[in-house]
């Protein structure tokens, strides 16, 4: 049985945080909200507890975890010789949805980093996450609290769907804020390399650092082949159980034309006997009359699209229907994170 405790996401009750920290200290697992998605936490300095995370998620053992810290001191405990550039960045962005990859210190167990000599670290911008780290007094190792390969959880219900009965405790702090996982930046390379786009836009990172960041194909969700610097990128992710087709074009300024293309494709599927669900935006949803449509939000405000994305994937999966047809978005700002997730969730990408 998984115990569920409702917690105030803005002013988390000290008593509850203390109780949750006790569960972590005893070597057990606690799922908790962050500003991005729910995390599945273990005491970051306890190898046995960390191994339980891999088991509960069904996560491949070569895919390392992020350490969550709540102070500069704790950050410096887990990394070795961080370059000055890192401080420019984290002083502006933390607490917040940015993870940096650096050389690890001796203190970090190999179980956390899956044997790598680097470690991924972030200081989350969520009162429950920060409070929990503070009560534990140690970094919390936490991947997203979903079964491996499934969409990341943005509320407590998603966590229970995937991990109910597999973990000790779930802190239910309501919906998460951003809805996509943190930006992951490898700072062991010069220039830094984007490993996973997220809420902190790569354009903003470049502005802060005053240099260009390398954006490999896999960070766009395009290629899994070749040497994967971030072990997580080689696995298919965020996948609904149904097949999903993503429809891309080169220019999204004429949405009427784009919706016509998507509609035409969906109708072709219908004529081949398939029942279709369309993942649409506010601006285009009305074009798809007669179809089951899951609406993500307005293209005018892609933060709302990001926030609803994983829930929409889970909803589309639960609806009756054979195939999901998903609209695509411009790769600007958080749009790059949305496209990375959509491409990695798709079984097929069609470009018009
Ligand atoms: O927003 C987030 O980052 C959420 C919340 C819970 O903090 N966490 C999260 O963790 O998304 P996870 O494990 O689902 O994704 C972590 C990603 C994986 O792709 C992993 O391969 C990569 O970070 N990663 C972790 N350590 C790494 C390292 N040392 N070098 C390269 N990539 C690393
Ligand atoms: Mg994950």
């Amino acid at each position: 049985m998984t115990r569920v405790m409702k917690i105030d996401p803005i002013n988390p009750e000290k008593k509850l945080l203390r109780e949750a920290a006790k569960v972590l200290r005893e070597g057990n697992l606690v799922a908790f909200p962050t500003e991005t998605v729910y995390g599945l936490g273990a005491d970051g300095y306890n190898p046995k507890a960390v191994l339980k995370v891999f088991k509960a998620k069904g996560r491949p053992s070569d895919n390392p975890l992020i350490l969550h810290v709540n102070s500069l001191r704790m950050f410096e405990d887990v990394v070795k010789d961080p370059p000055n550039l890192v401080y420019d960045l984290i002083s502006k962005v933390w607490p917040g949805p940015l993870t940096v990859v650096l050389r690890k210190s001796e203190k970090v167990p190999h179980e956390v980093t899956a044997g790598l000599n680097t470690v991924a670290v972030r200081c989350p911008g969520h009162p429950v996450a920060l409070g929990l780290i503070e009560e534990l007094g140690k970094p919390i190792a936490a991947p997203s609290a979903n079964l491996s390969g499934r969409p990341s959880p943005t509320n407590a219900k998603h966590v229970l769907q995937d991990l109910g009965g597999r973990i000790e405790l779930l802190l239910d702090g309501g919906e998460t804020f951003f809805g996509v996982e943190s930006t992951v930046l490898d700072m062991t390379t010069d220039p830094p390399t984007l490993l996973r786009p997220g809420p902190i836009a790569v354009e903003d990172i470049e502005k802060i650092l005053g240099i260009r960041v390398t954006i490999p194909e896999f960070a766009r969700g395009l290629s899994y082949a070749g040497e994967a610097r971030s072990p997580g990128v080689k696995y298919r992710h965020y996948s609904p159980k149904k097949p999903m087709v993503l429809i891309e074009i080169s220019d999204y300024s004429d949405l009427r034309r784009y919706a016509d293309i998507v509609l035409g494709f969906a109708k072709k599927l219908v004529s081949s006997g398939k029942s279709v669900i369309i993942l649409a935006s506010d601006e285009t949803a009305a074009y798809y009359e007669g179809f089951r449509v899951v609406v993500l939000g307005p293209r005018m405000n892609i933060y709302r699209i990001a926030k609803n994305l994983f829930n929409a994937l889970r909803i589309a999966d639960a609806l009756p229907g054979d195939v999901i047809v998903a609209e695509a978005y411009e790769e600007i700002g958080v749009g790059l994170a949305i496209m990375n997730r959509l491409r990695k969730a798709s079984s097929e990408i069609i470009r018009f």
Side-chain angles (χ1 to χ4, degrees):
M1 274 298 287
T2 297
R3 237 185 346 140
V4 182
M5 302 197 306
K6 281 226 186 275
I7 192 161
D8 185 329
I10 306 297
N11 284 303
E13 297 81 350
K14 259 255 164 349
K15 203 179 118 246
L16 300 182
L17 290 175
R18 224 169 273 148
E19 216 173 312
K22 183 165 166 274
V23 173
L24 290 174
R25 210 169 287 120
E26 287 164 353
N28 291 312
L29 307 183
V30 178
F32 61 96
T34 80
E35 78 280 33
T36 56
V37 300
Y38 274 72
L40 175 57
D43 175 347
Y45 287 159
N46 179 343
K48 273 204 190 119
V50 169
L51 287 176
K52 285 185 186 172
V53 171
F54 287 87
K55 184 145 182 264
K57 278 188 62 114
R59 184 179 179 105
S61 59
D62 63 349
N63 193 2
L65 309 181
I66 295 174
L67 278 184
H68 296 69
V69 301
N70 74 338
S71 66
L72 206 54
R73 192 175 48 80
M74 204 182 272
F75 166 70
E76 290 178 338
D77 273 348
V78 299
V79 299
K80 189 156 80 183
D81 311 326
N84 286 332
L85 216 55
V86 173
Y87 290 93
D88 296 343
L89 202 52
I90 64 178
S91 64
K92 292 223 166 54
V93 177
W94 279 1
L98 173 74
T99 298
V100 290
V101 173
L102 295 164
R103 290 174 62 198
K104 83 182 224 11
S105 76
E106 304 298 322
K107 271 192 152 177
V108 178
H110 292 289
E111 285 78 1
V112 170
T113 64
L116 297 178
N117 55 15
T118 58
V119 64
V121 192
R122 88 177 188 97
C123 176
H126 193 293
V128 172
L130 287 172
L132 193 56
I133 302 164
E134 188 181 319
E135 284 299 327
L136 181 65
K138 288 186 270 185
I140 296 180
S144 50
N146 50 282
L147 282 177
S148 194
R150 301 272 300 142
S152 291
T154 59
N155 61 37
K157 197 180 82 190
H158 297 162
V159 178
L160 283 179
Q161 277 172 3
D162 280 17
L163 300 176
R166 291 167 161 260
I167 60 175
E168 200 79 12
L169 177 66
L170 162 61
L171 293 177
D172 177 357
E175 299 282 332
T176 61
F177 187 76
F178 286 109
V180 289
E181 310 87 340
S182 63
T183 305
V184 180
L185 187 70
D186 185 348
M187 301 206 64
T188 67
T189 62
D190 184 13
T193 307
L194 182 73
L195 297 180
R196 180 177 72 186
I200 301 293
V202 68
E203 296 92 324
D204 292 331
I205 293 173
E206 290 181 330
K207 242 180 258 159
I208 293 170
L209 295 179
I211 51 172
R212 297 304 293 266
V213 164
T214 304
I215 306 178
E217 286 274 283
F218 67 74
R220 298 187 185 282
L222 282 174
S223 115
Y224 306 82
E227 182 209 1
R229 190 131 21 118
S230 192
V233 304
K234 67 175 182 249
Y235 300 105
R236 189 169 174 231
H237 264 76
Y238 317 113
S239 312
K241 290 169 194 135
K242 291 185 176 65
M244 181 164 113
V245 187
L246 180 65
I247 311 285
E248 298 191 21
I249 51 170
S250 51
D251 178 6
Y252 296 88
S253 55
D254 186 351
L255 284 177
R256 161 126 232 174
R257 181 176 157 258
Y258 179 52
D260 272 341
I261 292 170
V262 174
L263 185 64
F265 184 81
K267 281 183 171 163
K268 240 179 32 208
L269 283 174
V270 169
S271 65
S272 72
K274 296 269 195 287
S275 144
V276 176
I277 299 159
I278 301 181
L279 285 190
S281 54
D282 282 0
E283 291 87 344
T284 50
Y287 287 107
Y288 308 129
E289 227 191 290
F291 281 88
R292 260 190 213 100
V293 179
V294 179
V295 184
L296 272 72
R299 284 170 186 271
M300 288 283 291
N301 179 357
I302 49 168
Y303 281 95
R304 296 236 321 257
I305 307 252
K307 185 175 172 129
N308 291 328
L309 179 62
F310 288 140
N311 189 46
L313 288 177
R314 283 181 188 254
I315 288 174
D317 223 9
L319 283 172
D322 306 313
V323 187
I324 301 169
V325 172
E327 288 187 351
Y329 298 85
E330 261 181 283
E331 288 175 281
I332 296 171
V334 74
L336 185 62
I338 293 168
M339 285 305 289
N340 166 288
R341 307 309 187 270
L342 279 172
R343 285 174 180 148
K344 293 183 79 175
S346 299
S347 44
E348 199 181 339
I349 299 173
I350 296 185
R351 291 191 179 77
F352 283 90

